[in-house]
Structure formats: structure tokens, C-alpha cells
């Protein structure tokens, strides 16, 4: 069974998607790659994993949380999941480049593929793809929009030129 529930944030409403025990998605409403909500998905406000995700997002946006502990189960290819694991390890307030991530995966030539996987991250904010910048430190695409990316970086105290 798949469960979904809207979650308000200061940067706009999100849709949280979960199985019975893991968060599978956290999407800004209308973002690029927003999932097709299926008729068989259920809304369950009392599902513990959805409640935990909402609480942790609220704490993050209030500046009271730097790391998420909600159990995750993002759906994607093996390559995408390996990129998302690297994203999840980027510390609060830090940034990396797509090339940095590609090098961590063993081949700097795969920066574009890393960028594609980063863009398809189904767990906005929670798996912090907003912390990935271009090689020159420039803002690059963000499925939730560059204004949200800038706001998330500011929230974490990351200055942008």
C-alpha cells in the first residue's frame, strides 16, 4: 500500500509519499518530476512514518533540525540510489559539486549523470540535493525551483554570490 499526505512548509506545500514504514518521496507541489498520484494511494494522517516526516520537516524549517532520521526507501535505479546516498551524507551547511559526487563514485566524467540522478531525487529537502552546486559554485537546476534552492541554502547559512 502507498500512502500520501500534503505537508505545508514555508517554501510551499509538499506531498509526502510512504509505504507502511518508510518515506519514499517528499515533493514540492508542482515541482519537476512530481509523481502521478494514483487512485489506489491512501491518505493516512496517522501513519507514523508520515507523522515523523512532517515533524522533522517542521523542525528543519524552524532551524531546530540539521539531520533527518525518518526511515527512507526511495525508488530508483541502482545508480540513482548510489547518488542519493552521497547526497544524504552532505553535511548541513556544506555544499559539493556534481563533479565532486562523480569522483566519489569513481569517475569524474559522470558529472552529468550525477546531475540527472540528483534532479530525480524523490526526497526534496530530506535528501539534500539543494546542497549541490555547479563546478564554479553557481546555482544550477533544482526540481523544486531555484528560488527554493536559494532559500534552503540561506536557511543553512550558505552564502551565494
Amino acid at each position: 500500500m502507498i500512502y500520501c499526505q500534503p505537508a505545508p512548509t514555508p517554501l510551499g506545500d509538499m506531498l509526502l509519499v510512504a509505504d507502511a514504514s518508510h518515506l519514499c518521496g517528499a515533493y514540492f507541489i508542482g515541482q519537476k518530476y512530481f509523481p502521478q498520484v494514483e487512485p489506489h494511494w491512501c491518505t493516512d494522517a496517522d501513519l507514523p512514518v508520515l507523522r515523523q516526516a512532517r515533524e522533522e520537516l517542521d523542525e528543519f524549517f524552524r532551524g531546530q533540525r540539521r539531520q533527518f532520521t525518518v526511515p527512507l526507501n526511495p525508488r530508483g535505479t541502482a545508480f540513482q540510489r548510489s547518488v542519493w546516498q552521497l547526497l544524504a551524507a552532505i553535511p548541513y551547511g556544506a555544499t559539493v559539486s556534481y563533479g565532486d559526487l562523480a569522483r566519489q563514485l569513481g569517475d569524474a566524467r559522470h558529472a552529468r549523470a550525477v546531475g540527472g540522478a540528483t534532479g530525480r531525487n524523490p526526497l526534496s529537502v530530506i535528501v539534500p540535493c539543494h546542497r549541490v552546486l555547479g563546478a564554479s559554485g553557481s546555482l544550477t537546476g533544482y526540481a523544486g525551483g531555484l528560488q527554493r534552492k536559494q532559500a534552503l541554502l540561506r536557511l543553512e547559512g550558505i552564502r551565494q554570490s
Side-chain angles (χ1 to χ4, degrees), residues 9-159:
T9 79
L11 299 180
D13 289 346
M14 296 183 82
L15 178 70
L16 303 179
V17 180
D19 59 26
S21 59
H22 294 83
L23 190 67
C24 303
Y27 304 90
F28 284 106
I29 303 296
Q31 77 169 55
K32 191 174 184 181
Y33 308 118
F34 190 80
Q36 174 69 37
V37 177
E38 301 293 335
H40 63 275
W41 289 11
C42 295
T43 300
D44 186 345
D46 292 327
L47 191 67
V49 69
L50 289 174
R51 186 173 45 248
Q52 181 181 355
R54 283 191 322 273
E55 289 169 1
E56 289 187 9
L57 281 167
D58 288 345
E59 292 166 357
F60 175 82
F61 282 110
R62 286 193 311 262
Q64 298 170 331
R65 174 172 292 276
R66 292 179 170 224
Q67 187 172 353
F68 291 88
T69 61
V70 63
L72 306 176
N73 186 20
R75 307 243 163 63
T77 67
F79 179 76
Q80 288 171 329
R81 288 191 313 269
S82 67
V83 171
W84 301 336
Q85 283 181 317
L86 291 177
L87 296 175
I90 302 169
Y92 182 96
T95 61
V96 299
S97 72
Y98 297 100
D100 293 334
L101 295 173
R103 279 187 287 284
Q104 288 180 50
L105 290 171
D107 194 337
R109 296 174 297 172
H110 290 134
R112 278 187 187 259
V114 166
T118 300
R120 292 218 176 244
N121 169 25
L123 291 156
S124 294
V125 181
I126 294 169
V127 173
C129 56
H130 60 275
R131 296 177 187 154
V132 183
L133 304 176
S136 67
S138 62
L139 286 182
T140 55
Y142 183 67
L146 286 181
Q147 288 182 320
R148 284 190 181 118
K149 184 172 186 165
Q150 288 173 315
L152 289 164
L153 293 172
R154 275 193 308 271
L155 176 70
E156 294 187 27
I158 300 168
R159 296 202 186 276

